[in-house]
């Protein structure tokens, strides 16, 4: 071994063990908080003196235990964590028994059969969990941080929550990115698509876009505008509504969008034209021109957007910029027309459909379960 190899091996060992230490800490924090939630629920249902503490239980408990990170609001979150994931109990008793106090096991584990569990709080547990269920909960328990769990437990629908668990296992997003995916209705968007597998793959790429096609969605949802009669809205009204909800609009657009201009005036020949919305994408280093239409995509809409993009390429593009991208937002994509209209173009033009109201929730359970089996 020479000095170079020595230094490499020390760094390699440090990195490996440091990662394992972080993982172990995450698992222990998750376990502590789940157990805390379990104990609280068990006390609320069976505590001999529970009436004495009433609604002030969590405040009094926080003052009594004086544990950093377990304030009254955090104790409430622990309780919510237990209610959202009662099936973790089966995992703990099978895989993490050595991490539990002996008296705890004697109190809640069983007497007759491994599938029976004592205690009123644990009546929420389902005894018919399959092997796949246990493997899934094992995966998320070991690979999902507690800070991610704090976002997941806010989701009441179990299928929807399972979808985002799958997304975490597949993409390892930051907590901020997970929250953005939830806020921008990724679950509903995938459910709306004709091919959920392809749509889910697109979502994974868009978490960190690598090329221009990754920054565009096939469907955009503007339900946050709360427009009562969407079929009557005019283009200028839609534009104004989006600007009035700019933060939510940018969140819906995705990672990296920075607002630059509204009704951007450009001079082509001796006539002025106005681009509805202009953004700059900080990750892909390009301008994004958005044209809004309150109707089905038409040939002239695409032709107009082509003109804007060519203008930007010739007059606005800086040496360190990538070519601009155009997004035409319409109520109906008219895919056949779009295919012919952009077939001979070297410009990045995308036609996407927007909806002002959410679609009916689609069944995603079979897709999610199938994907989880392949992890």
């Amino acid at each position: 071994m020479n000095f170079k190899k020595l230094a490499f091996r020390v760094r390699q060992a440090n990195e490996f063990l440091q990662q394992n230490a972080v993982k172990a800490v995450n698992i222990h924090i998750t376990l502590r908080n789940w157990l805390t939630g379990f104990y609280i629920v068990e006390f609320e249902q069976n505590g001999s003196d529970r009436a004495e503490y009433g609604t002030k239980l969590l405040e009094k408990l926080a003052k009594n235990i004086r544990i950093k990170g377990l304030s009254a609001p955090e104790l409430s979150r622990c309780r919510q964590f237990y209610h959202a994931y009662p099936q973790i109990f089966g995992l703990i008793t099978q895989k993490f028994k050595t991490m539990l106090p002996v008296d705890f096991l004697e109190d809640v584990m069983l007497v007759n059969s491994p599938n029976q569990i004592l205690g009123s709080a644990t009546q929420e547990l389902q005894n018919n969990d399959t092997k796949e269920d246990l493997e899934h909960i094992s995966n998320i328990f070991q690979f999902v941080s507690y800070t991610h769990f704090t976002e997941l437990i806010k989701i009441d629908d179990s299928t929807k929550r399972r979808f985002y668990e799958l997304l975490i296992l597949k993409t390892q997003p930051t907590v901020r990115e997970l929250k953005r995916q939830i806020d921008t209705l990724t679950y509903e968007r995938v459910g709306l698509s004709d091919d959920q597998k392809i749509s889910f793959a697109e979502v994974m790429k868009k978490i960190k876009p690598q090329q221009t096609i990754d920054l565009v969605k096939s469907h955009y949802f503007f339900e946050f505008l709360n427009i009562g009669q969407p079929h009557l809205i005019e283009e200028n009204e839609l534009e104004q509504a989006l600007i009035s909800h700019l933060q939510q609009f940018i969140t819906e657009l995705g990672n990296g969008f920075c607002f630059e201009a509204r009704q951007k005036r450009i001079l082509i020949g001796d006539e002025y034209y106005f681009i509805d919305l202009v953004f700059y994408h900080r990750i892909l280093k390009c301008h994004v021109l958005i044209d809004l239409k309150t109707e089905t995509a038409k040939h002239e809409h695409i032709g107009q957007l082509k003109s804007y993009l060519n203008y930007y390429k010739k007059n606005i593009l800086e040496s360190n910029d990538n070519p601009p991208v155009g997004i035409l937002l319409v109520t109906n994509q008219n895919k056949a027309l779009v295919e012919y209209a952009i077939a001979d173009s070297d410009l990045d033009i995308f036609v996407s459909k927007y909806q002002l109201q959410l679609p009916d929730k689609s069944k995603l359970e079979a897709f999610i379960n199938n994907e989880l089996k392949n992890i």
Side-chain angles (χ1 to χ4, degrees):
M1 181 191 298
N2 57 30
F3 181 81
K4 187 176 179 180
K5 284 186 178 179
L6 170 64
F8 170 76
R9 287 182 181 176
V10 171
R11 284 195 299 268
Q12 188 181 48
N14 176 71
E15 184 179 345
F16 174 77
L17 293 172
Q18 203 168 44
Q19 288 174 350
N20 276 272
V22 170
K23 180 180 174 182
V25 168
N26 275 330
I27 289 175
H28 280 75
I29 289 174
T30 302
L31 176 59
R32 179 200 70 175
N33 292 346
W34 187 91
L35 285 172
T36 299
F38 169 80
Y39 292 144
I40 290 170
V41 173
E42 192 67 31
F43 175 83
E44 288 176 328
Q45 295 181 358
N46 290 318
S48 58
D49 54 349
R50 63 186 185 278
E52 180 183 335
Y53 296 90
T55 57
K56 298 292 183 181
L57 170 64
L58 300 185
E59 288 86 346
K60 292 178 179 178
L61 180 59
K63 287 180 181 178
N64 184 274
I65 60 177
R66 291 191 179 90
I67 297 175
K68 186 178 179 181
L70 288 181
S71 61
E74 191 57 44
L75 290 172
S76 176
R77 190 174 287 148
C78 290
R79 179 172 57 190
Q80 188 180 2
F81 180 34
Y82 166 75
H83 280 305
Y85 289 95
Q87 65 271 41
I88 285 178
F89 186 92
L91 175 69
I92 290 175
T93 57
Q94 288 195 29
K95 295 194 174 184
F96 296 94
K97 187 186 294 188
T98 57
M99 298 169 67
L100 301 175
V102 175
D103 61 338
F104 169 77
L105 291 171
E106 290 175 348
D107 284 345
V108 296
M109 293 266 323
L110 190 174
V111 225
N112 297 325
S113 111
N115 289 327
Q116 261 183 313
I117 299 171
L118 299 176
S120 303
T122 53
Q123 293 306 310
E124 299 173 50
L125 300 175
Q126 295 180 0
N127 295 327
N128 59 351
D129 286 345
T130 65
K131 181 183 177 183
E132 288 77 15
D133 292 329
L134 190 61
E135 287 176 355
H136 171 63
I137 201 67
S138 176
N139 278 333
I140 64 171
F141 187 81
Q142 296 186 70
F143 297 107
V144 176
S145 72
Y146 182 68
T147 49
H148 286 81
F149 273 121
T150 59
E151 294 302 322
L152 291 172
I153 62 178
K154 298 174 186 176
I155 303 171
D156 294 328
D157 186 294
S158 59
T159 302
K160 185 174 180 178
R161 191 189 312 127
R162 203 171 174 90
F163 172 86
Y164 288 108
E165 292 166 2
L166 171 64
L167 190 67
I168 294 171
L169 292 173
K170 291 264 192 176
T171 65
Q172 292 85 51
T174 63
V175 176
R176 183 178 179 182
E177 178 61 27
L178 172 63
K179 190 174 187 304
R180 195 183 70 78
Q181 292 295 327
I182 295 171
D183 290 345
T184 56
L185 308 169
T186 298
Y187 168 78
E188 287 80 1
R189 200 186 313 279
V190 171
L192 182 68
S193 64
D194 295 329
D195 191 321
Q196 293 167 354
K197 193 173 185 68
I198 291 176
S199 182
F200 187 75
E202 289 176 355
V203 168
M204 292 193 290
K205 285 190 288 185
K206 291 181 195 319
I207 287 180
K208 190 171 183 181
Q210 301 295 319
Q211 51 187 333
T212 51
I213 194 170
D214 295 338
L215 65 82
V216 184
K217 301 172 182 176
S218 59
H219 286 78
Y220 290 87
F221 294 126
F222 300 152
E223 86 294 339
F224 53 82
L225 301 179
N226 294 319
I227 295 173
Q229 295 180 297
H231 59 288
L232 298 178
I233 193 169
E234 300 289 337
E235 286 171 15
N236 61 335
E237 294 175 318
L238 176 59
E239 181 186 314
Q240 178 58 54
L242 289 173
I243 292 299
S244 298
H245 296 78
L246 187 59
Q247 183 175 349
Q248 291 159 298
F249 181 38
I250 290 177
T251 299
E252 170 62 10
L253 288 175
N255 251 347
F257 282 84
C258 303
F259 179 65
E260 192 169 288
R262 171 194 180 190
Q263 288 295 304
K264 174 72 174 180
R265 187 174 70 168
I266 58 175
L267 182 63
I268 300 178
D270 58 357
E271 189 173 349
Y272 283 108
Y273 294 86
F274 297 86
I275 307 172
D276 290 338
L277 298 166
V278 178
F279 291 84
Y280 190 81
H281 201 279
R282 61 177 177 78
I283 299 175
L284 298 179
K285 309 296 182 189
C286 65
H287 281 95
V288 182
L289 314 182
I290 296 180
D291 213 15
L292 297 168
K293 300 298 177 186
T294 54
E295 57 184 333
T296 298
K298 295 181 179 178
H299 189 276
E300 55 265 33
H301 300 156
I302 298 170
Q304 184 180 50
L305 190 53
K306 282 182 179 179
S307 299
Y308 296 162
L309 289 171
N310 281 318
Y311 176 89
Y312 256 72
K313 282 183 72 174
K314 183 177 180 180
N315 300 285
I316 307 296
L317 193 71
E318 298 286 347
S319 58
N320 58 341
D321 284 342
N322 288 311
V325 176
I327 303 176
L328 178 65
L329 290 178
V330 293
T331 57
N332 192 302
Q333 288 169 300
N334 195 349
K335 292 182 180 180
L337 170 68
V338 171
E339 182 181 349
Y340 288 117
I342 66 176
D344 60 345
S345 177
D346 61 346
L347 301 170
D348 283 322
I349 296 178
F350 302 94
V351 179
S352 296
K353 180 179 179 179
Y354 67 85
Q355 292 183 225
L356 300 177
Q357 296 175 333
L358 285 178
D360 293 335
K361 189 182 296 182
S362 300
K363 295 283 186 180
L364 283 168
E365 201 159 3
F367 163 74
I368 295 168
N369 290 338
N370 184 60
E371 288 296 306
L372 287 171
K373 288 177 184 178
N374 298 322
I375 291 180

